Amino acid sequence: MITSPANQHVKRIRSLASDRHERRRERMLVLEGVRLVADALESGATLTLTLYAPDQLQLTPAGAALLQKLRYLPASYEATPQVVAAASDTVHPQGVVALASWPHVAPGKPGLLLVIDAVQDPGNLGTLLRSAEAVGVAQVLCSVGTVDLYAPKVVRSAMGAHFRLAMEQDLSWDAIGERLASVDHVYAADPEARMPYYAADWRQPSALLVGNEAHGLSDAARRLATKQIAIPMRGGTESLNVAVAASVILFEALRQRTLGRS
């Protein structure tokens, strides 16, 4: 059992959690918490390093079930709760932290794309990925300037979407434009637009563009849009959080694609 917070495995996990360049160089992401690690295993991910506290995991049924799997994995080490906490990024660790290689998920059938323009908040990006996976988005494309897809807070917020959703980051607008060339409709979410989001025809190959929290869509993103859409609101709020707004629109797209436009 690992008992020292100065252990080399703890240092490696902490380094990858804090250093974007190192995550990119090694193409690794940090997984933390019972649900996220269990979800990764169920999705077929290979954990390259795992630290877990048996006594802590045994406190919940989900933790106990995960413990039975972790005992037989390679590069999986028992550790004290203090050691796992030292390797963790959260305030209240759940007794397990792991490393996994970046998943490679092939894009789905052409249908619906989500393009993210310089979203900065990790929680917002994670929620966007989670909603995109839930509605069956074929691929998520992130422009240069978007927060790191594999940052620990993004991974936690996405709740396993990384292992089931095709995604790319740091794309130039020229590259994004090439990806959208075969898309029938490119809708840009803009609170000032007159067209309501439910009037859009999401049944055809489509893309949704969402912009930065403070500045909205960039000029480069607007040039790629064929139409601009908004969410009508009756209250005094001027606009919704980008993750909330995109989720509302994406689920309307799913409704139309499932039930038809009405």
Coordinates of all heavy atoms in Angstrom, one line a residue, residues 134-183:
A134 N -25.6 13.3 -25.0 CA -26.9 12.9 -24.7 C -27.9 12.9 -25.9 O -28.8 12.1 -26.0 CB -27.5 13.7 -23.5
V135 N -27.7 13.9 -26.8 CA -28.6 14.0 -27.9 C -28.0 13.4 -29.2 O -28.7 13.4 -30.2 CB -28.9 15.5 -28.2 CG1 -29.4 16.2 -27.0 CG2 -27.7 16.2 -28.8
G136 N -26.8 12.8 -29.1 CA -26.3 12.1 -30.2 C -25.6 12.9 -31.3 O -25.6 12.6 -32.5
V137 N -25.0 14.0 -30.8 CA -24.2 14.8 -31.7 C -23.1 14.0 -32.3 O -22.4 13.2 -31.7 CB -23.5 16.0 -30.9 CG1 -22.4 16.7 -31.7 CG2 -24.6 17.1 -30.6
A138 N -22.9 14.1 -33.6 CA -21.9 13.3 -34.4 C -20.5 13.7 -34.0 O -19.6 12.8 -33.9 CB -22.1 13.5 -35.9
Q139 N -20.2 15.0 -33.8 CA -18.9 15.4 -33.4 C -18.9 16.8 -32.8 O -19.8 17.6 -33.2 CB -18.0 15.4 -34.7 CG -16.5 15.6 -34.4 CD -15.6 15.4 -35.6 OE1 -16.1 15.6 -36.7 NE2 -14.4 15.1 -35.4
V140 N -18.0 17.1 -31.9 CA -17.8 18.4 -31.4 C -16.5 19.0 -31.9 O -15.5 18.3 -31.8 CB -17.8 18.4 -29.8 CG1 -17.5 19.8 -29.2 CG2 -19.2 17.9 -29.3
L141 N -16.6 20.2 -32.4 CA -15.4 20.9 -32.9 C -15.1 22.1 -32.1 O -16.0 23.0 -32.0 CB -15.6 21.3 -34.4 CG -16.0 20.2 -35.3 CD1 -16.3 20.7 -36.7 CD2 -15.0 19.1 -35.4
C142 N -14.0 22.2 -31.5 CA -13.6 23.4 -30.6 C -12.6 24.2 -31.3 O -11.5 23.8 -31.7 CB -13.1 22.9 -29.3 SG -14.3 21.9 -28.3
S143 N -12.8 25.5 -31.4 CA -11.9 26.5 -32.0 C -10.7 26.7 -31.1 O -10.7 26.5 -29.9 CB -12.6 27.8 -32.3 OG -12.8 28.5 -31.1
V144 N -9.7 27.3 -31.8 CA -8.5 27.8 -31.0 C -9.1 28.8 -30.0 O -9.9 29.6 -30.3 CB -7.5 28.4 -31.9 CG1 -6.4 29.1 -31.1 CG2 -6.9 27.4 -32.8
G145 N -8.6 28.7 -28.8 CA -9.1 29.7 -27.7 C -10.1 29.1 -26.8 O -10.4 29.7 -25.7
T146 N -10.6 27.9 -27.1 CA -11.5 27.2 -26.2 C -10.7 26.5 -25.1 O -9.6 26.0 -25.3 CB -12.3 26.1 -27.0 OG1 -13.1 26.8 -28.0 CG2 -13.3 25.4 -26.0
V147 N -11.2 26.5 -23.9 CA -10.5 25.8 -22.8 C -10.2 24.4 -23.1 O -10.9 23.7 -23.9 CB -11.4 25.9 -21.5 CG1 -12.7 25.1 -21.6 CG2 -10.6 25.5 -20.3
D148 N -9.1 23.8 -22.6 CA -8.6 22.5 -22.8 C -9.7 21.4 -22.6 O -10.3 21.3 -21.5 CB -7.5 22.2 -21.9 CG -6.8 20.8 -22.2 OD1 -7.1 20.2 -23.3 OD2 -6.1 20.3 -21.3
L149 N -10.0 20.7 -23.7 CA -11.0 19.6 -23.6 C -10.7 18.6 -22.5 O -11.6 17.9 -21.9 CB -11.1 18.8 -24.9 CG -12.0 19.4 -26.0 CD1 -11.8 18.6 -27.3 CD2 -13.5 19.3 -25.6
Y150 N -9.4 18.4 -22.2 CA -9.0 17.4 -21.2 C -8.6 17.9 -19.9 O -8.0 17.2 -19.1 CB -7.9 16.6 -21.9 CG -8.3 16.0 -23.2 CD1 -8.0 16.5 -24.4 CD2 -9.1 14.8 -23.2 CE1 -8.4 16.0 -25.6 CE2 -9.5 14.3 -24.4 CZ -9.2 14.9 -25.6 OH -9.6 14.4 -26.8
A151 N -8.9 19.1 -19.6 CA -8.7 19.7 -18.2 C -9.5 18.9 -17.2 O -10.6 18.5 -17.5 CB -9.0 21.2 -18.2
P152 N -9.0 18.6 -16.0 CA -9.7 17.8 -15.1 C -11.2 18.3 -14.8 O -12.1 17.5 -14.7 CB -8.9 17.9 -13.8 CG -7.5 18.1 -14.3 CD -7.6 19.0 -15.6
K153 N -11.4 19.6 -14.7 CA -12.7 20.1 -14.4 C -13.7 19.9 -15.6 O -14.9 19.6 -15.4 CB -12.7 21.6 -14.1 CG -12.0 21.9 -12.7 CD -12.1 23.4 -12.4 CE -11.4 23.7 -11.0 NZ -11.4 25.1 -10.7
V154 N -13.1 19.9 -16.8 CA -13.9 19.6 -18.0 C -14.3 18.2 -18.0 O -15.5 17.8 -18.2 CB -13.2 20.0 -19.3 CG1 -14.0 19.6 -20.5 CG2 -12.9 21.5 -19.3
V155 N -13.4 17.3 -17.7 CA -13.6 15.9 -17.7 C -14.6 15.5 -16.6 O -15.6 14.7 -16.9 CB -12.3 15.1 -17.4 CG1 -12.6 13.6 -17.3 CG2 -11.3 15.3 -18.6
R156 N -14.5 16.1 -15.4 CA -15.5 15.8 -14.4 C -16.9 16.3 -14.8 O -17.9 15.6 -14.6 CB -15.1 16.4 -13.1 CG -13.8 15.7 -12.5 CD -13.7 16.1 -11.0 NE -13.6 17.5 -10.7 CZ -12.4 18.2 -10.8 NH1 -11.3 17.5 -11.1 NH2 -12.4 19.5 -10.5
S157 N -17.0 17.5 -15.3 CA -18.3 18.1 -15.7 C -18.9 17.3 -16.8 O -20.2 17.2 -16.9 CB -18.1 19.5 -16.1 OG -17.7 20.3 -15.1
A158 N -18.1 16.7 -17.7 CA -18.7 16.0 -18.9 C -19.2 14.6 -18.5 O -19.9 14.0 -19.2 CB -17.6 15.8 -19.9
M159 N -18.8 14.1 -17.3 CA -19.4 12.8 -16.8 C -19.3 11.7 -17.7 O -20.3 11.0 -17.9 CB -20.8 13.1 -16.3 CG -20.9 14.0 -15.1 SD -20.0 13.5 -13.7 CE -21.0 12.0 -13.2
G160 N -18.1 11.5 -18.3 CA -17.9 10.3 -19.2 C -18.1 10.5 -20.6 O -17.9 9.6 -21.4
A161 N -18.6 11.7 -21.0 CA -18.8 12.0 -22.5 C -17.6 11.8 -23.3 O -17.6 11.5 -24.5 CB -19.4 13.4 -22.6
H162 N -16.4 12.1 -22.7 CA -15.1 11.9 -23.5 C -15.0 10.5 -24.1 O -14.3 10.4 -25.1 CB -13.9 12.2 -22.5 CG -13.8 13.7 -22.2 ND1 -14.6 14.3 -21.3 CD2 -12.9 14.6 -22.7 CE1 -14.2 15.6 -21.2 NE2 -13.2 15.8 -22.1
F163 N -15.5 9.5 -23.4 CA -15.3 8.2 -23.9 C -16.4 7.7 -24.9 O -16.3 6.6 -25.4 CB -15.4 7.2 -22.7 CG -14.2 7.5 -21.7 CD1 -14.5 8.2 -20.6 CD2 -13.0 7.1 -22.0 CE1 -13.4 8.5 -19.7 CE2 -11.9 7.3 -21.1 CZ -12.2 8.0 -20.0
R164 N -17.4 8.6 -25.2 CA -18.4 8.2 -26.1 C -18.7 9.2 -27.2 O -19.6 9.0 -28.1 CB -19.7 8.0 -25.3 CG -19.6 6.8 -24.3 CD -21.0 6.6 -23.6 NE -21.3 7.8 -22.7 CZ -20.9 7.9 -21.5 NH1 -20.1 6.9 -20.9 NH2 -21.2 8.9 -20.8
L165 N -18.0 10.3 -27.2 CA -18.3 11.5 -28.1 C -17.0 11.8 -28.9 O -15.9 12.0 -28.3 CB -18.7 12.7 -27.3 CG -19.1 13.9 -28.0 CD1 -20.3 13.7 -28.9 CD2 -19.4 15.1 -27.0
A166 N -17.2 11.9 -30.2 CA -16.0 12.4 -31.0 C -15.8 13.9 -30.8 O -16.8 14.7 -30.9 CB -16.3 12.1 -32.5
M167 N -14.6 14.3 -30.6 CA -14.3 15.7 -30.3 C -12.9 16.1 -30.8 O -12.0 15.2 -30.7 CB -14.5 16.0 -28.9 CG -13.7 15.2 -27.9 SD -14.1 15.5 -26.2 CE -15.6 14.6 -26.0
E168 N -12.8 17.3 -31.2 CA -11.5 17.8 -31.6 C -11.3 19.2 -31.0 O -12.3 20.0 -30.9 CB -11.3 17.9 -33.1 CG -11.2 16.5 -33.7 CD -10.8 16.6 -35.2 OE1 -9.8 17.3 -35.5 OE2 -11.5 16.0 -36.0
Q169 N -10.1 19.6 -30.7 CA -9.8 20.9 -30.2 C -8.7 21.7 -31.0 O -8.1 21.1 -31.8 CB -9.4 20.8 -28.7 CG -8.1 20.1 -28.4 CD -7.8 20.1 -26.9 OE1 -8.5 20.7 -26.1 NE2 -6.7 19.4 -26.6
D170 N -8.6 23.0 -30.7 CA -7.6 23.8 -31.3 C -7.7 23.9 -32.8 O -6.7 24.0 -33.5 CB -6.2 23.4 -30.9 CG -6.0 23.5 -29.4 OD1 -6.6 24.4 -28.8 OD2 -5.2 22.8 -28.8
L171 N -8.9 23.9 -33.3 CA -9.1 23.9 -34.8 C -9.1 25.4 -35.2 O -9.8 26.2 -34.6 CB -10.4 23.2 -35.2 CG -10.4 21.7 -34.9 CD1 -11.9 21.2 -35.2 CD2 -9.5 21.0 -35.8
S172 N -8.5 25.6 -36.4 CA -8.6 27.0 -37.0 C -10.0 27.1 -37.6 O -10.7 26.1 -37.9 CB -7.5 27.1 -38.0 OG -7.8 26.3 -39.2
W173 N -10.4 28.3 -37.9 CA -11.7 28.5 -38.5 C -11.7 28.1 -40.0 O -12.7 27.7 -40.5 CB -12.1 30.0 -38.4 CG -12.6 30.2 -37.0 CD1 -11.9 30.9 -36.0 CD2 -13.8 29.7 -36.4 NE1 -12.7 30.9 -34.8 CE2 -13.8 30.2 -35.1 CE3 -14.9 29.0 -36.9 CZ2 -14.8 29.8 -34.2 CZ3 -15.9 28.7 -36.0 CH2 -15.9 29.1 -34.7
D174 N -10.5 28.1 -40.6 CA -10.4 27.5 -41.9 C -10.7 26.0 -41.9 O -11.5 25.4 -42.7 CB -9.1 27.7 -42.5 CG -8.8 29.1 -43.0 OD1 -9.9 29.8 -43.2 OD2 -7.7 29.5 -43.1
A175 N -10.2 25.3 -40.9 CA -10.4 23.9 -40.7 C -11.9 23.6 -40.4 O -12.5 22.6 -40.9 CB -9.5 23.3 -39.7
I176 N -12.4 24.4 -39.5 CA -13.8 24.2 -39.2 C -14.7 24.5 -40.4 O -15.7 23.7 -40.6 CB -14.2 25.2 -38.0 CG1 -13.5 24.7 -36.7 CG2 -15.7 25.2 -37.8 CD1 -13.7 25.7 -35.5
G177 N -14.4 25.5 -41.2 CA -15.2 25.7 -42.4 C -15.2 24.6 -43.3 O -16.2 24.3 -44.0
E178 N -14.0 23.9 -43.4 CA -14.0 22.7 -44.3 C -14.9 21.6 -43.8 O -15.5 20.9 -44.6 CB -12.5 22.2 -44.4 CG -11.6 23.2 -45.1 CD -10.2 22.7 -45.1 OE1 -9.9 21.6 -44.5 OE2 -9.3 23.4 -45.6
R179 N -15.0 21.5 -42.5 CA -15.8 20.4 -41.9 C -17.3 20.8 -42.1 O -18.1 19.9 -42.2 CB -15.6 20.3 -40.4 CG -14.1 20.0 -40.0 CD -13.7 18.7 -40.4 NE -12.3 18.4 -40.0 CZ -12.0 18.0 -38.8 NH1 -12.9 17.7 -37.9 NH2 -10.7 17.8 -38.5
L180 N -17.6 22.0 -42.2 CA -19.0 22.5 -42.3 C -19.5 22.6 -43.8 O -20.6 22.9 -44.0 CB -19.2 23.8 -41.6 CG -19.0 23.8 -40.1 CD1 -19.2 25.2 -39.5 CD2 -19.8 22.7 -39.3
A181 N -18.5 22.4 -44.7 CA -18.9 22.6 -46.1 C -20.0 21.7 -46.6 O -20.8 22.1 -47.5 CB -17.6 22.4 -47.0
S182 N -20.1 20.5 -46.0 CA -21.2 19.6 -46.5 C -22.4 19.6 -45.6 O -23.3 18.8 -45.8 CB -20.6 18.2 -46.5 OG -20.2 17.8 -45.1
V183 N -22.5 20.6 -44.7 CA -23.6 20.7 -43.8 C -24.7 21.6 -44.4 O -24.3 22.7 -44.9 CB -23.2 21.3 -42.4 CG1 -24.4 21.5 -41.5 CG2 -22.2 20.3 -41.7

